[in-house]
Amino acid sequence: QHGIESTRERIQAGKPQKGALRLYAFQMGTYLLLELWDDGRGLDIEAIKQAAVKNQQFTSEELEVMPLPQIESLVFNPGFSTDSFQRGVSEKGMGLDLVQSTVKRLKGAVYVGSTPGSGCMIQVQLPGPMPPVHLLIISVAGQKYGISIDQVQTTTHLPAQGSKTSRHQEFVGEDGQVVPLVSLADILEVEEQFKQNELCPCVVVVVDGKPLGCLVDEILCEQEVRPQPQGLILKKVRNVSGATILNSGEVCLILNPDDLIRTAQKHLAVSLSS
């Protein structure tokens, strides 16, 4: 019903005697795409509809108004088969179901498309390696953090204050711009380590033209790294956009400047009102 026709059928259809399979692999954005094409008869849509009704998955009325891509995707349903004679795994409707479940475990997706009489295409999308990013590596409370260099306006040194209540709320940058100032240790809710009366390193980040000065313990270096995919746990962590492994083998959290500015605005509002 599906797939490559017999030699006789192909000759009658004006096709080469031997069927063709083409496999393509390429990257699109952060995804790896695999495409398998054949030049066979394509999916038998009527056979798929009949099997769906026979298996009591859908009624004829539902299938009549169902979009074609959704009907084609029924071949991925568990146990779905248009073959009346179940001789093996694929005939039991387990082949494409196993493909889809495996791809989903890899956090990917699989799609099918077909042109009657011309062939079929199956596309697998898998998360690929994320593009490298250039980070400024800093230290706060003994932990290394990274900030995208694209969102760092400048770095400087400012006099450190001995207590949170006496901390400067802003400073004037070299270009005369007034920059709100916070301790990154305060924002991340960790213990700061720079000492009183020392010059404290400051990283000025900017988002949509809004600057924020962040006092840190140390400004260490710049590195080009590949961020790791953000898991469910990190997605719930405020001020963090991801993580990476530094050249030293250490784990480094990547800070989210958008979140930092929002959190800083709340801290500054509380500080000014107290």
Side-chain angles (χ1 to χ4, degrees):
Q1 294 166 321
H2 314 297
I4 304 294
E5 309 94 332
S6 66
T7 301
R8 181 178 178 181
E9 289 176 310
R10 292 183 64 82
I11 293 175
Q12 291 177 344
K15 295 182 179 181
Q17 293 186 26
K18 294 183 178 180
L21 289 175
R22 299 190 301 275
L23 178 64
Y24 300 96
F26 52 96
Q27 185 165 353
M28 181 177 292
T30 59
Y31 281 88
L32 295 176
L33 271 62
L34 302 175
E35 289 185 352
L36 179 63
W37 294 73
D38 70 39
D39 66 344
R41 57 171 62 91
L43 295 178
D44 189 333
I45 300 301
E46 288 305 314
I48 292 174
K49 289 182 178 180
Q50 292 172 13
V53 173
K54 180 180 178 181
N55 297 337
Q56 298 183 341
Q57 294 179 338
F58 295 95
T59 65
S60 299
E61 292 74 16
E62 290 173 328
L63 290 167
E64 284 303 316
V65 297
M66 185 178 292
L68 179 59
Q70 188 175 347
I71 296 175
E72 292 175 333
S73 67
L74 294 179
V75 297
F76 294 110
N77 286 0
F80 189 90
S81 176
T82 58
D83 199 323
S84 302
F85 302 97
Q86 298 182 350
R87 295 176 292 273
V89 170
S90 62
E91 285 82 3
K92 293 178 181 177
M94 296 172 62
L96 289 176
D97 174 33
L98 288 174
V99 170
Q100 186 178 60
S101 60
T102 300
V103 170
K104 283 186 174 180
R105 283 201 302 272
L106 298 173
K107 302 185 185 302
V110 59
Y111 305 95
V112 64
S114 173
T115 302
S118 297
C120 184
M121 182 274 292
I122 292 180
Q123 183 187 82
V124 176
Q125 295 183 3
L126 296 172
M130 299 182 70
V133 295
H134 195 181
L135 297 180
L136 176 68
I137 309 301
I138 59 175
S139 175
V140 178
Q143 171 66 47
K144 292 181 180 178
Y145 297 91
I147 303 175
S148 172
I149 204 73
D150 293 335
Q151 293 181 289
V152 175
Q153 186 180 69
T154 187
T155 60
T156 186
H157 287 76
L158 300 173
Q161 301 296 312
S163 69
K164 296 179 181 178
T165 55
S166 63
R167 183 76 38 80
H168 291 303
Q169 299 296 329
E170 59 186 28
F171 73 98
V172 179
E174 294 179 357
D175 58 356
Q177 185 179 26
V178 177
V179 180
L181 181 66
V182 295
S183 164
L184 194 52
D186 289 350
I187 299 299
L188 300 177
E189 299 179 0
V190 295
E191 190 68 28
E192 59 193 8
Q193 294 187 349
F194 58 82
K195 299 178 181 179
Q196 187 174 1
N197 299 324
E198 283 187 350
L199 285 177
C200 180
C202 177
V203 178
V204 180
V205 298
V206 61
V207 176
D208 296 330
K210 299 177 182 178
L212 175 69
C214 300
L215 298 174
V216 302
D217 295 342
E218 291 182 88
I219 298 174
L220 299 173
C221 62
E222 296 180 20
Q223 279 192 29
E224 188 173 87
V225 299
R226 287 191 179 274
Q228 302 300 311
Q230 193 176 19
L232 291 176
I233 296 178
L234 279 184
K235 285 182 179 179
K236 299 179 181 179
V237 178
R238 188 172 65 251
N239 303 316
V240 173
S241 63
T244 189
I245 305 296
L246 300 178
N247 296 339
S248 61
E250 297 172 278
V251 175
C252 174
L253 295 178
I254 301 175
L255 299 178
N256 184 336
D258 296 81
D259 280 359
L260 292 178
I261 288 180
R262 282 193 290 267
T263 306
Q265 289 172 341
K266 295 179 182 178
H267 277 245
L268 291 173
V270 171
S271 177
L272 291 173
S273 63
S274 59

